[in-house]
Amino acid sequence: MRRKLVVGNWKMHGNIKSNQLLLTDIINGLRDYKNADYVVCVPNPYLFQARELLQHTNIAWGGQNVNQHEQGAFTGAVAPHMLTDLGCTYVLLGHSERRNLFHETNLTAAARFDAAIKANLTPVLCVGETLAEHEAGLTEVIVASQMDAVMATLGDKEFAKAMQLNMVFAYEPVWAIGTGKTASPAHAQAVHEFIRHRIDRRNSDAAAHVRIIYGGSVNSKNAKELFAMPDVDGGLVGGASLNAEEFVAICRLAN
Ligand code: 13P
């Protein structure tokens, strides 16, 4: 039985005061819910605040991206060890907003994945097709290419390390992100099953254990049905993770 995982992606939202209120309510709301894993990925300037409030709780925190370099003249970038310095255990990689708005590619996702696991961060690799690709029936082709770009760069040693860190895949159809148009549970299940089969071609033990979470307009109303699908191991939650009541309700459904 895979333990469910809910990751909140705050994107570029929040301030010191609102974060304090949101995190306090989430901590209180999830105190007695120990049967799933919960993570919040906050903007980098607030990781210190997340650590102050979340250490000694059942909620982990992580970055929304990481650079592949260890250090150097990379203005504006954040290295993997900087995230671990601040107690992060997770990092999102290859989010569609990074790909579409900041021109990141499969290549950079692969390099960042490698750098993240070297730093002992659990990578959450985001994959998913755009609306045009969806309508053209290309979902599996796109998801496979995004997965393969990363998996092919991992040697056996790196793959074993990624497994040991409990790497996560997040299926986020771009047309469902921030649109209120959630993928149907059947569609999510079909793509998650496809992702698991593709991992199985490499390693069946990894395929059985890897958590594949769904993202795209997840809320407290649709989460139950999505989480009930056999290959949906939780959610990657954007907008609804900024509302404590909503996020706590989604996390409780995973519990
Ligand atoms: P929404 O939940 O706001 O659709 O965002 C999903 C997402 O991109 C999470 O990474």
Side-chain angles (χ1 to χ4, degrees):
M1 205 30 199
R2 289 179 297 269
R3 196 175 153 89
K4 286 221 171 1
L5 167 70
V6 179
V7 181
N9 175 9
W10 288 10
K11 307 192 180 183
M12 200 173 73
H13 292 286
N15 57 58
I16 290 178
K17 203 168 162 194
S18 68
N19 301 342
Q20 164 99 30
L21 293 172
L22 178 55
L23 289 174
T24 304
D25 284 349
I26 293 173
I27 292 165
N28 291 333
L30 293 178
R31 204 182 295 284
D32 299 323
Y33 290 77
K34 309 255 154 110
N35 297 323
D37 294 327
Y38 315 113
V39 184
V40 289
C41 291
V42 311
N44 290 331
Y46 302 124
L47 284 170
F48 194 87
Q49 185 188 19
R51 182 177 69 169
E52 291 304 292
L53 290 168
L54 297 175
Q55 58 185 339
H56 315 304
T57 72
N58 55 336
I59 301 152
W61 58 100
Q64 297 175 7
N65 194 14
V66 75
N67 194 268
Q68 61 270 44
H69 301 286
E70 274 181 36
Q71 60 174 3
F74 301 102
T75 300
V78 168
H81 74 86
M82 298 174 182
L83 294 185
T84 52
D85 235 5
L86 286 161
C88 291
T89 43
Y90 286 80
V91 64
L92 304 180
L93 293 169
H95 191 281
S96 66
E97 285 148 22
R98 297 304 315 178
R99 295 176 192 263
N100 299 331
L101 304 172
F102 300 96
H103 315 294
E104 291 185 18
T105 61
N106 280 334
L107 227 61
T108 55
R112 287 163 192 224
F113 189 101
D114 193 49
I117 59 171
K118 280 203 177 88
N120 294 321
L121 287 162
T122 296
V124 179
L125 180 69
C126 305
V127 297
E129 80 286 7
T130 64
L131 182 61
E133 290 159 351
H134 181 67
E135 286 172 345
L138 293 173
T139 299
E140 292 189 354
V141 175
I142 297 299
V143 167
S145 69
Q146 292 168 336
M147 287 179 69
D148 293 355
V150 172
M151 305 273 277
T153 64
L154 301 178
D156 288 343
K157 208 173 109 219
E158 288 80 16
F159 192 86
K161 178 84 186 279
M163 262 179 77
Q164 185 201 326
L165 288 164
N166 297 317
M167 67 172 159
V168 176
F169 285 84
Y171 171 54
E172 293 208 305
V174 180
W175 46 270
I177 296 178
T179 59
K181 269 200 259 166
T182 321
S184 69
H187 174 79
Q189 167 57 27
V191 181
H192 284 224
E193 199 179 332
F194 173 79
I195 292 171
R196 203 175 299 284
H197 276 147
R198 206 147 184 101
I199 300 165
D200 188 65
R201 298 193 333 181
R202 172 84 183 248
N203 184 312
S204 53
D205 192 36
H209 288 101
V210 74
R211 289 186 288 190
I212 307 169
I213 60 179
Y214 167 81
S217 299
V218 173
N219 59 42
S220 62
K221 299 209 167 51
N222 57 34
K224 191 172 176 196
E225 263 194 291
L226 286 160
F227 294 175
M229 294 291 118
D231 287 297
V232 177
D233 302 311
L236 178 51
V237 186
S241 73
L242 298 170
N243 176 311
E245 211 177 311
E246 268 291 292
F247 188 64
V248 164
I250 294 165
C251 290
R252 286 181 178 181
L253 288 167
N255 184 67

